[in-house]
Amino acid sequence: MSESRHKKPVLYSYFRSSCSWRVRTCLNWKGIDYEIKPVNLLKEEQEVPTLEIDGLVLTQSIAIIEYLEETHKENPLLPEDPGERALVRSIVQAIASDTQPVTNLRVIKYAGEDHKEEWAKHWMSVMFKGIEDQLARVAGDYCVGNKVTLADVCLVPQVFNAQRVNVDMTQFPTIQAIADRLLELEAFKRAHPYRQIDCPADLKEN
Amino acid sequence: MSESRHKKPVLYSYFRSSCSWRVRTCLNWKGIDYEIKPVNLLKEEQEVPTLEIDGLVLTQSIAIIEYLEETHKENPLLPEDPGERALVRSIVQAIASDTQPVTNLRVIKYAGEDHKEEWAKHWMSVMFKGIEDQLARVAGDYCVGNKVTLADVCLVPQVFNAQRVNVDMTQFPTIQAIADRLLELEAFKRAHPYRQIDCPADLKEN
């Protein structure tokens, strides 16, 4: 086993990147001590999130959080039952595949400077409608019943993004209530963009 | 255990939907006998793919194939090692999150009738560049080494989509060679859009 396996994990992160935020939440939730190396996403220096852990260099947020789930069994973020796991992952994918990539910075820029907010708002509203309907059926305190799962890890950053482009969240009361509840939890609070070391001073909270 | 658990799985599928195609390939690969109910995606009758299996109704292709992987251990599509699993899932996500959703039908339509092909071509080219670079490092006969994985299941439909919008695939020789190799395998052949019952006669192959 190489020495690198015993080093503290390093997360390359950008404070406002929702994919970085997912990984920060997951690391916090699992009680994994890690170091953050900030990357300025606007300058596109490096792919975020990237996690150096166990001698590996991992990319893509969902691949990373599935890895953390498989290798750190404490504080699980997936249920044991395969059907429930599929349900959690379907919500993860509704956010991480259907919603976030269509509304990320480079895509909305390409859609045209004049239409940026309109584009993001349109797609988030369309996608949130489907997620709201699904959550109205399966949610408890959190996305799937009363335990925090990977679906919740993905939901919070997406709600933050929606609020930034002025999506009318009163249309999505289940989503909003769950996100509010999650942000009372320490692991989620500490992962918030405004608590990150690379957050500009005028936005920063402590 | 309810009676529904013993029924043949039913897949709601559209012949040209790349997400349906992923699930068809996976079911074929695992040797699971299933029935296809065609859905006309253009009329948006129902979410595809949807899989009725084991008394459950599953949506979202990646959630479905992870479920099949967890419940049908034969012919695995993920390696055993967590680091390798993360690598496979990072390629899955590069396709299923970064590429496909940004270039699917409803998004390119919204981008504007005049720019449809240009939009799809632009994003597929950008994303394939990253995937090509990654595969050049980790591929063997298939995406990750010499065993077929979920990354391959996702790659083939995306290459088909790229060819449909005239992406210059000579820029991506590793991707193209792997896709060609995969389409020689029976499970992939049988999942091809042109072999589906809802494929129009003028496109159909047998």
Side-chain angles (χ1 to χ4, degrees):
Chain A
M1 201 174 278
S2 76
E3 201 183 318
S4 58
R5 286 200 172 259
H6 304 291
K7 273 170 50 181
K8 194 192 274 196
V10 174
L11 177 65
Y12 294 85
S13 159
Y14 176 59
F15 79 109
R16 203 142 56 188
S17 142
S18 51
C19 300
S20 300
W21 188 348
R22 294 171 194 158
V23 179
R24 294 194 300 260
T25 306
C26 200
L27 288 162
N28 294 346
W29 185 260
K30 299 233 168 228
I32 301 169
D33 189 24
Y34 63 104
E35 182 190 338
I36 284 197
K37 290 206 178 160
V39 171
N40 190 334
L41 192 59
L42 302 174
K43 294 183 187 161
E44 292 185 41
E45 293 161 4
Q46 145 141 28
E47 188 177 344
V48 297
T50 296
L51 182 66
E52 294 177 356
I53 189 167
D54 303 331
L56 302 164
V57 179
L58 307 180
T59 57
Q60 293 283 3
S61 63
I62 304 304
I64 295 172
I65 63 185
E66 290 271 3
Y67 174 88
L68 294 173
E69 181 65 12
E70 287 180 349
T71 55
H72 293 76
K73 305 291 182 194
E74 65 277 29
N75 304 325
L77 285 163
L78 281 172
E80 281 185 29
D81 176 73
E84 284 182 29
R85 293 164 76 85
L87 178 57
V88 169
R89 287 192 176 112
S90 74
I91 300 166
V92 166
Q93 207 190 342
I95 299 167
S97 293
D98 292 350
T99 313
Q100 195 277 333
V102 182
T103 56
N104 78 10
L105 196 60
R106 59 180 177 174
V107 172
I108 62 177
K109 273 189 175 170
Y110 189 77
E113 277 301 319
D114 300 343
H115 311 290
K116 267 170 33 178
E117 188 173 313
E118 185 197 324
W119 174 280
K121 208 167 160 172
H122 169 80
W123 287 112
M124 287 189 206
S125 301
V126 169
M127 304 307 184
F128 271 18
K129 175 74 176 70
I131 296 168
E132 174 72 20
D133 292 347
Q134 186 173 18
L135 292 187
R137 292 192 304 272
V138 301
D141 283 345
Y142 306 115
C143 284
V144 177
N146 295 320
K147 284 192 177 160
V148 172
T149 65
L150 295 181
D152 300 298
V153 168
C154 294
L155 188 75
V156 168
Q158 197 58 52
V159 170
F160 176 84
N161 289 350
Q163 288 165 333
R164 281 189 71 214
V165 294
N166 303 310
V167 168
D168 172 15
M169 288 300 297
T170 62
Q171 304 171 84
F172 313 115
T174 315
I175 293 176
Q176 184 67 65
I178 293 169
D180 290 345
R181 217 169 279 130
L182 288 162
L183 276 170
E184 288 169 15
L185 306 175
E186 189 56 27
F188 285 78
K189 270 188 201 166
R190 275 196 293 129
H192 194 284
Y194 297 163
R195 296 273 297 266
Q196 303 309 303
I197 46 171
D198 56 333
C199 176
D202 57 325
L203 294 173
K204 207 155 185 169
E205 289 168 10
N206 280 298
Chain B
M1 202 173 279
S2 77
E3 202 183 316
S4 59
R5 285 198 172 259
H6 304 291
K7 274 172 47 181
K8 193 192 272 196
V10 174
L11 177 65
Y12 294 85
S13 159
Y14 175 60
F15 79 108
R16 202 141 57 188
S17 142
S18 51
C19 300
S20 301
W21 187 349
R22 293 172 193 158
V23 178
R24 293 194 301 259
T25 306
C26 201
L27 288 163
N28 294 347
W29 185 261
K30 300 239 169 220
I32 301 169
D33 189 24
Y34 63 104
E35 182 189 338
I36 284 197
K37 290 206 177 162
V39 171
N40 190 334
L41 192 59
L42 301 174
K43 293 183 186 161
E44 292 185 41
E45 291 162 4
Q46 145 141 28
E47 188 177 343
V48 297
T50 296
L51 182 66
E52 294 177 354
I53 190 168
D54 303 332
L56 302 164
V57 180
L58 306 181
T59 57
Q60 293 282 2
S61 62
I62 305 303
I64 295 171
I65 63 184
E66 289 271 4
Y67 174 88
L68 294 174
E69 181 66 12
E70 287 181 349
T71 54
H72 292 76
K73 307 290 183 194
E74 65 277 30
N75 304 326
L77 285 162
L78 281 172
E80 282 187 26
D81 176 73
E84 283 181 30
R85 293 164 75 87
L87 178 57
V88 169
R89 287 193 176 112
S90 74
I91 299 166
V92 166
Q93 207 190 341
I95 299 166
S97 292
D98 293 349
T99 313
Q100 194 278 331
V102 182
T103 56
N104 78 10
L105 196 61
R106 60 180 176 174
V107 172
I108 62 176
K109 273 189 175 170
Y110 189 77
E113 276 301 320
D114 299 344
H115 311 291
K116 267 169 37 179
E117 187 174 315
E118 185 197 324
W119 174 279
K121 208 166 160 172
H122 170 79
W123 287 112
M124 287 188 205
S125 301
V126 169
M127 303 308 184
F128 271 17
K129 175 75 176 70
I131 296 168
E132 174 72 20
D133 291 348
Q134 187 173 16
L135 293 186
R137 292 192 304 273
V138 301
D141 284 345
Y142 305 115
C143 284
V144 177
N146 295 319
K147 284 191 179 160
V148 172
T149 65
L150 296 180
D152 300 297
V153 168
C154 294
L155 189 75
V156 168
Q158 197 58 52
V159 170
F160 175 84
N161 289 350
Q163 287 165 333
R164 281 189 71 212
V165 295
N166 303 311
V167 168
D168 172 15
M169 288 301 296
T170 62
Q171 303 171 85
F172 313 115
T174 315
I175 293 176
Q176 184 67 65
I178 293 169
D180 290 345
R181 216 169 280 130
L182 288 162
L183 276 170
E184 289 170 15
L185 305 175
E186 189 55 26
F188 285 78
K189 270 188 201 166
R190 276 196 291 129
H192 194 284
Y194 298 163
R195 296 274 296 266
Q196 303 310 304
I197 46 172
D198 56 334
C199 176
D202 58 325
L203 294 173
K204 207 155 185 171
E205 289 168 12
N206 281 301

